[in-house]
Amino acid sequence: MPTALITGASAGLGAEFAHQLAERGADLVLVARSQDALDTFAAELRAAYGVVVEVVTADLVVEDDVKRVAARISAPEHPIDLLVNNAGFGLPLQFADNDIEDEVRHLRIHVEAPMRLMHAALGTMRGRGGRIINVASVAGFISRSTYSACKQWLIGFSRWANSEYASDGVTVTAVCPGFTHTTFHERMGLQKGHEGIPEIGWLQARDVVREGLSAASRGQAVCVPSLRYKLVVAVTKVLPSSLTARAARRGRV
């Protein structure tokens, strides 16, 4: 069976990736900060799907923890076939008012950690084959503080890497959802129904993950789940950035 390593795996899109991959028969390596949450979730997956589930407790803003996860990816005796870079958190959009150390941690988890883990994965996948999924965001197509900038980097790098390493049998896909019902916004202090976004703007995690996995299987570099957000991305290409930036202040994707 193939083995998938998922960061930010204990909740939200990470947990949904774990469910859908386990349902397909993949063994899993789950990475998150909470040992108790990981152990509980791993037991549920083993019982439900009969797959092998390994847990790695790591905080991906800590350099030594990132190195431990990279070492697990590079382990030749238990190779990783699919890497899902999903871990992340949000900050208020007012960059100048945010604590700069929070912004540095934000940059590390959204850019540095995925870059290091992709580097480790490519080292073992080239020639053997494999897939990398980077969970980006529709925010990466608009101007929206450092969150947008981080996701722009992830999308751009995924486009390049997907083309560069296709001949080595490796695909790299940036999955770019819009607003999705997970715990992401709650961790920012925004309770469900109070995020400032109408219900029509929300996606379900199961649909985002299903479309993302399908796009990765086709070797697609960028996946924007749902027609409504494909239209949003198309519109951002013709509207002035000042206008899209004002619209984007309503919430966080």
Side-chain angles (χ1 to χ4, degrees), residues 32-104:
R33 292 182 300 168
S34 172
Q35 182 74 50
D36 290 344
L38 279 177
D39 288 342
T40 299
F41 186 40
E44 293 173 358
L45 292 169
R46 294 184 193 109
Y49 304 108
V51 297
V52 175
V53 184
E54 177 185 344
V55 300
V56 178
T57 305
D59 184 345
L60 297 184
V61 302
V62 178
E63 184 175 353
D64 286 346
D65 283 11
V66 177
K67 289 180 178 179
R68 284 197 298 108
V69 178
R72 173 60 188 88
I73 292 171
S74 300
E77 64 274 18
H78 300 293
I80 298 299
D81 304 289
L82 169 62
L83 167 64
V84 181
N85 280 312
N86 168 73
F89 64 88
L91 291 173
L93 297 177
Q94 295 77 20
F95 169 73
D97 297 328
N98 292 339
D99 184 285
I100 189 58
E101 295 306 320
D102 288 340
E103 288 284 1
V104 170

Side-chain angles (χ1 to χ4, degrees), residues 12 20 27 54 78 83 89 110 121 152 186 188 203 215:
Q20 292 195 27
D27 293 332
E54 177 185 344
H78 300 293
L83 167 64
F89 64 88
H110 287 284
Q152 285 175 15
E186 291 179 17
M188 292 179 62
L203 304 176

